[in-house]
Amino acid sequence: MKAHFPLGFFLLAICILPSQLLAQETKKPFTFEDIMRFQSHSSVEFSTQGNFLGFDFWPDRGDGEARIYKTNGLNQELLRVPLGKSIQFDDSERFAAMRITTPLATTLKDEKKKYFDSLAVYSLKDATLIWETDSLRSFAFSADGSFLAVHKQA
């Protein structure tokens, strides 16, 4: 008994096989530049009631950013702040405050100069910047979120 394949199967194989071979991407070797593009999440912070999530997103060397997401099931990105880090939410979930660092390129130009972070405060209602100041040492919200204590460099 002789086995034979239908002509349709043969034509289908001829049409699909070359396209599959062409669709395969050539693999590029893993390089040092690839490693330098890695970024990590750090300083993960949830708001008191859990409606917001904030974290830092920074490369090994270079400028990163802070991100704030709504955690309402849709995980919507609310805010992305270049050079932001160390996010804190007030207990009423009305405000988010964070440090803003100096860009790496600026600090490399004059390594002897001491650079200080600034502070940025954002409204979580509409993701707008409502206040900022420079020469920051530390900051903290009051328990009810009515006040923000700021310790500045002299």
Side-chain angles (χ1 to χ4, degrees):
M1 179 167 190
K2 193 174 183 185
H4 37 22
F5 294 99
L7 181 60
F9 178 77
F10 180 71
L11 292 174
L12 183 65
I14 288 177
C15 292
I16 291 178
L17 188 59
S19 66
Q20 290 297 323
L21 292 174
L22 292 174
Q24 292 180 354
E25 294 182 26
T26 57
K27 293 187 180 186
K28 157 181 131 165
F30 192 65
T31 65
F32 179 72
E33 287 78 23
D34 295 328
I35 293 171
M36 294 309 291
R37 282 193 293 264
F38 284 171
Q39 295 187 339
S40 62
H41 300 281
S42 61
S43 300
V44 177
E45 183 78 22
F46 277 97
S47 61
T48 305
Q49 299 167 11
N51 293 318
F52 297 94
L53 166 68
F55 59 89
D56 305 349
F57 196 67
W58 285 78
D60 179 50
R61 184 158 171 85
D63 298 331
E65 63 188 9
R67 295 181 185 176
I68 297 176
Y69 287 84
K70 289 182 180 180
T71 57
N72 58 1
L74 303 176
N75 295 330
Q76 297 172 284
E77 183 175 300
L78 177 67
L79 188 60
R80 190 179 284 218
V81 181
L83 303 172
K85 68 177 188 177
S86 304
I87 299 169
Q88 289 185 22
F89 297 102
D90 73 316
D91 284 349
S92 66
E93 295 188 342
R94 292 181 296 164
F95 307 106
M98 66 189 76
R99 292 179 171 273
I100 306 296
T101 62
T102 305
L104 179 64
T106 303
T107 61
L108 292 177
K109 285 179 187 173
D110 187 1
E111 294 182 13
K112 293 179 182 177
K113 184 177 178 183
K114 182 146 174 98
Y115 294 94
F116 298 105
D117 292 345
S118 59
L119 173 69
V121 181
Y122 288 87
S123 167
L124 293 175
K125 180 180 178 185
D126 54 6
T128 57
L129 177 66
I130 57 172
W131 187 69
E132 68 183 318
T133 187
D134 58 359
S135 302
L136 179 69
R137 273 196 149 173
S138 62
F139 68 96
F141 280 107
S142 64
D144 65 355
S146 297
F147 299 98
L148 176 65
V150 178
H151 184 192
K152 294 179 74 168
Q153 296 287 343

